Amino acid sequence: MDSRTFTVQQIYQDRRQYRVPFYQRAYVWNREEQWGPLWEDIQDKAEIRLQGGKPVPHFMGAVVLEPQKKIGLLGVERHHIIDGQQRLTTMQYVFTALCLVLSELNQKALLPLVESCLINSNPETMEDREVERFKLWPTFRDRHQFVSAMTAGDIEKLKERFPESFTRTGTLKKVGVDHPPALEAICFFREAMLTWLRDETETPVALRVPALAAAILTDLAIVCISLGEDDDAQVIFETLNGRGAELHATDLIRNFIFMRAGTDADELYSTLWSQFEAPLWSEQQKRGRLNRPRLEWFVQTAVQAETGDEIDIGRLYAGYRRCVDDKDALRSAKAQLEFLNRYAAHYKALVTGSGASPIAEFGRRVAVWDASPTHPLALNVAAGSLSPDDQGSIFDAIESYLVRRAVCGLSRKNYNKVFAQQLKKLIEGGADAKGFRKYLSELSGEASRWPSNDEFRKQWLSGAVFPGRLDAAKLRTMFHRLETAMRTLKTEERVVLSLDDLDIDHILPQSWATHWALDDGQSVTSQNISDAVLLSYTATEMNEKNKAIVRRQAAVPVFGNLTMIHYGVNRSVQNREFEVKRKALFEHSNLQLNRSLTAIDHWDEATIQQRGEALFEHALKTWGGPSV
């Protein structure tokens, strides 16, 4: 390893190219945090030179470079930027802005000095002139806008190439548009330079230009650390970046992969990695208290699906390294990228619910159930050799397990362990759908069991689910499934339309005192209800009125008393008597869920029980239970 300090002119004066490897992130420096302070430093050095002083070089930090072996006589020297691409790229934008300014002010004597820091000479001896002529070559994500901005030559050409970024008067738009970073940086430094150079209160432009050029070329210093043949670039990269708050585990993983890509890097990036640069994968996804880019959750899930081992998201990079190091088949960059791609489409279908595959259908059904502990298992099933029918059967069993335990009020704290164990069994035993149901059915105990039909029925009919064990989103999903199950081949609309505008409604309302007398005709108040409920917890005996109140109150949050109606209808009939609600349902609802309600003239605890039984018959078919 060799470490030396150079001016930026010295860094760029040789016939070489600094390449930003594929694994590096995009250019992210901006006006407020980096460009502005850098310009202030340049301006300070230029002012000192104007006053006849000799500035102390401004230290811009360090860059780590990995020289690449040159094969043959043609081509320029290449150095991979292991760390410091933001600094080196920014200086290219500063040089370009200075060239524009020198041309605009007709101060062209210094142009060759600046242009030599941008363009390599002797193109006739290059292997790829369109690439090697640049002193710096960015990563794929920045390449198009970099070339367009760097080769424009003047401000008018920039306006032609980036019309969306400029106003009708020719200034850069300040709101309503995200400018390409190369364009915005060049325009920022150009405007700053022109403003300073045109300030002729003390010295004319002809004297200010050399001071500015010297400040940029010779008063900015960078420490260049050049790696030797025995230095491990991967270790250096991790040491420099591993503790950075902005660095994601997937940045290290991408680096780890492409460090091993060799001459195939371009093709592997474009064919097997580029899809992971799409916005879908960078979206932040929250699980509990953790917020991570979707790509991190995907890599964690893919590694777990492949190995059956649990991976801590906080140690994702270490877990990924362990996975590929333990598998000879995953040692090469291509093998690792193919491994990730094998799972990527399935994961996308799972988390977005898009498509008609079994895992997409499963994703739509369990989206509200916080089912992330099931994702590695689902991914393994989808990427395996099981038929679509067998996959669907396994996904049905998982959905049933989640729904039944939720309805029965059982904890979900053990789900990571439960589904990790089931995944291990699938990996080790290659079980089919029948075998998986058998595994799941054998679970016992409060924390793990798959509730039986009897337990499911008991809690369905009497359990307090809303308010209580389920929220509105989960209930809406369940009722969507029941509504679909209740429709027949002769139903006009076989496919249920969107239920986003539907509210969960208590047919016997939560506040029932005003419009709902007891069966014997007695009226009650809200205070009567509160007193009766309190007595049910404390008293050994109660009178008949209080018993009737308690029975009615217990019937409010059960499945038999719940339905879905349009939110506008719900608000208009909220807390009203059954006759009013029934008329509204008859006029406005075409759901099978509500069809039976329009055909009866009375609603009480007995009819709630009857409707609960009828709904349970559909629930039993929709969420089938464990094998006997």
Side-chain angles (χ1 to χ4, degrees), residues 96 119 133-134 146-154 157 161:
T96 302
I119 301 297
R133 62 190 179 119
F134 293 98
F146 176 87
V147 172
S148 293
M150 295 287 287
T151 59
D154 58 60
K157 185 65 70 173
R161 294 184 177 183

Side-chain angles (χ1 to χ4, degrees), residues 38-230:
L38 175 58
W39 167 247
E40 291 177 3
D41 292 326
I42 293 172
Q43 184 176 267
D44 288 344
K45 302 304 177 186
E47 293 284 359
I48 292 173
R49 286 188 172 275
L50 274 181
Q51 296 167 11
K54 186 175 181 181
V56 176
H58 171 71
F59 177 59
M60 289 184 65
V63 297
V64 180
L65 306 172
E66 183 186 32
Q68 303 297 297
K69 288 184 179 180
K70 184 180 177 183
I71 301 174
L73 297 176
L74 296 177
V76 301
E77 291 182 16
R78 294 180 182 176
H79 292 251
H80 281 180
I81 307 172
I82 305 304
D83 190 66
Q85 66 130 326
Q86 306 289 333
R87 294 177 180 85
L88 293 179
T89 304
T90 299
M91 288 314 304
Q92 289 291 290
Y93 298 148
V94 172
F95 292 146
T96 302
L98 182 56
C99 285
L100 296 180
V101 168
L102 293 175
S103 295
E104 289 177 46
L105 298 180
N106 199 29
Q107 300 287 321
K108 298 182 180 181
L110 294 172
L111 266 179
L113 288 176
V114 184
E115 288 175 341
S116 68
C117 293
L118 291 168
I119 301 297
N120 283 313
S121 59
N122 302 324
E124 64 276 5
T125 63
M126 296 177 182
E127 291 181 313
D128 186 345
R129 297 184 185 186
E130 295 303 313
V131 172
E132 293 182 56
R133 62 190 179 119
F134 293 98
K135 291 284 187 177
L136 183 138
W137 192 238
T139 191
F140 269 108
R141 287 159 290 176
D142 295 328
R143 196 164 294 171
H144 177 73
Q145 51 100 11
F146 176 87
V147 172
S148 293
M150 295 287 287
T151 59
D154 58 60
I155 189 64
E156 295 305 320
K157 185 65 70 173
L158 282 173
K159 294 175 184 178
E160 289 179 18
R161 294 184 177 183
F162 301 95
E164 298 298 322
S165 290
F166 289 90
T167 65
R168 292 182 178 179
T169 59
T171 60
L172 201 65
K173 292 180 180 178
K174 295 183 179 180
V175 294
V177 61
D178 290 326
H179 302 296
L183 171 68
E184 188 172 9
I186 291 170
C187 288
F188 168 79
F189 287 111
R190 171 184 170 272
E191 286 297 325
M193 292 176 191
L194 286 173
T195 300
W196 185 81
L197 288 170
R198 286 168 173 164
D199 181 6
E200 299 189 33
T201 54
E202 297 182 3
T203 51
V205 169
L207 295 179
R208 299 176 78 85
V209 165
L212 176 61
I216 293 172
L217 292 170
T218 64
D219 294 339
L220 301 178
I222 294 177
V223 173
C224 289
I225 302 172
S226 185
L227 302 185
E229 291 185 3
D230 296 330

Side-chain angles (χ1 to χ4, degrees), residues 595-612:
R595 188 172 183 179
S596 64
L597 298 175
T598 63
I600 57 178
D601 56 12
H602 184 67
W603 191 252
D604 58 16
E605 295 85 339
T607 49
I608 290 173
Q609 177 78 8
Q610 292 168 9
R611 183 168 178 271

Side-chain angles (χ1 to χ4, degrees), residues 501-503 565-574 588:
D501 293 334
L502 301 186
D503 281 348
I565 58 176
H566 189 275
Y567 68 88
V569 177
N570 187 28
R571 284 150 180 72
S572 67
V573 299
Q574 201 169 35
H588 301 290

Side-chain angles (χ1 to χ4, degrees), residues 494-512:
R494 293 279 309 282
V495 179
V496 185
L497 299 178
S498 172
L499 305 182
D500 293 342
D501 293 334
L502 301 186
D503 281 348
I504 302 299
D505 179 59
H506 296 82
I507 305 166
L508 168 64
Q510 291 177 277
S511 301
W512 51 269

Side-chain angles (χ1 to χ4, degrees), residues 512-526:
W512 51 269
T514 303
H515 297 288
W516 293 69
L518 295 176
D519 288 344
D520 61 5
Q522 293 187 74
S523 297
V524 297
T525 66
S526 298

